[in-house]
Amino acid sequence: MSLHSGAGPGIFKALDRSVDRVALLADQFSAFICAVLIVVTTLAMIVYQFGIAIAWLDDVLRMLLIWFVYLGAVPLCLHNAHISMDALYLRLPKPARKVVDIIIALLGVGLCLFTAKIGFDSMRQQIAYGALLPSGDLPAWPQYLAIPVSFGLMAVAYLSYLISVITGRRQRPIGEAELQAEGTKAKC
């Protein structure tokens, strides 16, 4: 099975396509934010070299970095492609690996929903109190909005991954280490 299986009954195929599109949009928006972050950082360095201080520039850079990181994590959740230690996982039989993948997906959904809820409450407080970022020039809520939006999307991505693992439409991608471990088992 492939990373983007898209195979199976109509509802699952539509679900896979929809979530893949959302993850792709999050990834592309994250890449766009990265490009803007590079340009703004370069301009900030040039401006600072001339001795000009713009109080809100650090706030904008921090906000861009937060959005970049959290949106970039959405496709990782969809494909369970986060950094992991595979030493034990590779030695498990395939049915046990499936159980581990299901547990990881369930934990991912739960933790992401919890974080999204806490982030939403925090953002709501920032709006209610009229909180500003450290420079005192920009409202704080756009920075805090990154948490509920991104973690909400991550929860949907983990849920899609969970459903596809349970239905057998997607397996964890095989990495180089896993191929080597399976090759070693075959030689023994």
Side-chain angles (χ1 to χ4, degrees), residues 26 29-30 33 59-74 112 115-124 126-127 133 139-155:
F29 192 57
S30 180
I33 291 172
D59 291 338
V60 170
L61 291 172
R62 187 179 314 106
M63 191 180 317
L64 287 171
L65 184 62
I66 289 168
W67 277 97
F68 164 63
V69 168
Y70 287 141
L71 283 177
V74 173
C112 287
T115 305
K117 166 72 169 90
I118 297 299
F120 179 77
D121 292 343
S122 181
M123 182 203 64
R124 211 174 66 222
Q126 299 300 316
I127 292 171
L133 291 174
W141 69 266
Q143 179 173 308
Y144 283 83
L145 179 63
I147 304 294
V149 168
S150 298
F151 278 88
L153 291 174
M154 286 184 228

Side-chain angles (χ1 to χ4, degrees), residues 1-9 12 16 94 98-99 101-102 159-172:
M1 285 190 217
S2 70
L3 194 57
H4 299 283
S5 63
F12 292 125
D16 285 343
K94 288 199 185 258
K98 185 174 182 175
V99 171
D101 288 340
I102 290 171
L159 183 61
S160 174
Y161 177 73
L162 173 65
I163 291 168
S164 64
V165 167
I166 290 172
T167 59
R169 294 175 297 114
R170 183 179 303 164
Q171 293 177 349
R172 186 172 178 183

